[in-house]
Amino acid sequence: MDSFSDADFKKTVWSALRLLVTIMVVAAPLVWWKVGWQSAALLVVGAVISGSGLYEWLRLMTAVMVRMDGGGTARPMGMVLFGFFLRLGLTVILLYVSLKILNGSVYALAGGLALGVFALTVEGLRLMKAWTN
């Protein structure tokens, strides 16, 4: 764990984001074919929210790590926190509007929201496997 650097963290989160997008691109047409376009749209909405959460976490942790290291040019923490809370507010609005307008499966939305956790778990397991070898 001592050798885990900031670059490793960024690489892991970016890999998780790529995996999330890949799964979404494969799953959305399958969901569309099986249950309809509304459910596929809800899956995409959930995946976008999940991906934006991962990206925002990357931004927050990068800002915190720069501050802890004491070097480099750090973004003002107020702006990073403003972006974080703005994203949370937009997420609530997007969830409400998508559930109100689209009459698809709520399970598809939940699946899209879970994609971020799944992708991050897969990348974490890959990282653990690389450490043991």
Side-chain angles (χ1 to χ4, degrees), residues 124-133:
L125 290 173
R126 285 182 184 169
L127 198 58
M128 285 175 49
K129 183 180 177 186
W131 282 345
T132 59
N133 292 336

Side-chain angles (χ1 to χ4, degrees), residues 49-105:
I49 289 170
S50 186
S52 71
L54 283 176
Y55 178 73
E56 204 59 44
W57 186 50
L58 173 68
R59 287 188 56 210
L60 269 171
M61 290 307 297
T62 301
V64 168
M65 285 187 289
V66 167
R67 292 224 185 286
M68 287 176 60
D69 291 342
T73 57
R75 284 185 240 161
M77 196 59 137
M79 290 303 292
V80 174
L81 288 174
F82 175 76
F84 177 76
F85 288 114
L86 178 66
R87 188 199 68 80
L88 283 178
L90 291 174
T91 297
V92 170
I93 292 169
L94 183 61
L95 280 172
Y96 177 78
V97 169
S98 64
L99 286 172
K100 195 75 169 165
I101 292 176
L102 299 171
N103 293 324
S105 171

